[in-house]
Amino acid sequence: MRYSLLAGGKRVRPILCLASCELVSGDVSSAMPAACAMEMIHTMSLIHDDLPCMDNDDLRRGKPTNHKVFGEETAILAGDALLSLAFEHVAARTGPKVPADRLVRAIAELGSAVGSEGLVAGQIVDIASEGRDIGLGELEYIHVHKTAKLLEASVVCGAIVGGGSQSEVERVRKYARCVGLLFQVVDDILDVTKSTEELGKTAGKDLASDKATYPKLMGIEKAKEFAGELVEKAIEQLGHFDAARVAPLSHLANYIASRHN
Ligand code: GRG
């Protein structure tokens, strides 16, 4: 559990959770257990995604994958235990300043982001799409569920724990939906541009591979335009909030749009 959780990574989900709590003028220390839980769930999904029965990857965050080091049985159990610890951590460690009804709402958000309408839904459709052509609608479904749902839960839980009103929570949810999709569109663009740079080739890895990606389905220029529209739409949602508190989330949207890894 420690090996994968502490292996590095950008920590985008916990940062989003804390920034969202700050946006609604909440006490950031109250959102720390939820922020850590997001990273635990994200890490468990990476451990399971890398397994031989899933993507069968050897490297993650620049290190050998969990199952390569500890074996498949331990990797599965480490993932299961991280998932369970995430819920225990939020429930047991969120301080008494957060009213119980808010805590329960945050835990429900977390559960729905992970289960059969969240990460698992995205993964199962992704697996079912292997070896056949898919369109933009199905690609979006996969990314919304595999990637955007947990980003959404991170932002929404930060706002709930921070004491945001219902309308504030719904605004940050819209922000997160745009940022979640943006995250994946940029990932797909980076796959093309990075492999083009690394290999010195004109066609990037993903344009050549079978996997459906935004650049492959809409072309690289249109994918970049789409990313630009998503950033604008995300930042638009922040217009309603205190301008002095908006900077972290608006910079994060721009960071996700312009990141290089
Ligand atoms: C939840 C029970 C349960 C199972 C999980 C395996 C699985 C089902 C879902 C796969 C989810 C997955 C691996 C989605 C990809 C998400 C993604 C964009 C990963 C990369 O995120 P970054 O770039 O990575 O934030 P770092 O390493 O920086 O944290």
Side-chain angles (χ1 to χ4, degrees), residues 33-34 36-38 40-41 81-91 110:
C36 294
M38 299 303 161
M40 291 177 200
I41 291 175
L82 276 170
L83 181 58
S84 174
L85 180 60
F87 285 91
E88 179 189 338
H89 194 70
V90 186
L110 212 50

Side-chain angles (χ1 to χ4, degrees), residues 76-136:
I76 292 169
L77 292 169
D80 292 346
L82 276 170
L83 181 58
S84 174
L85 180 60
F87 285 91
E88 179 189 338
H89 194 70
V90 186
R93 298 297 177 96
T94 304
K97 282 191 218 155
V98 178
D101 63 320
R102 285 192 175 271
L103 191 52
V104 170
R105 270 169 65 203
I107 291 171
E109 281 287 337
L110 212 50
S112 102
V114 178
S116 62
E117 293 186 4
L119 292 182
V120 172
Q123 184 75 350
I124 202 95
V125 174
D126 195 10
I127 291 169
S129 75
E130 263 166 39
R132 63 180 176 82
D133 288 337
I134 62 166
L136 270 177

Side-chain angles (χ1 to χ4, degrees), residues 9-10 13 42 44-45 49 61 114 120 123 146-147 183:
K10 296 180 287 298
R13 294 152 192 83
H42 171 54
M44 75 76 41
S45 79
D49 196 49
R61 293 172 161 172
V114 178
V120 172
Q123 184 75 350
K146 273 187 77 168
T147 304
F183 193 91

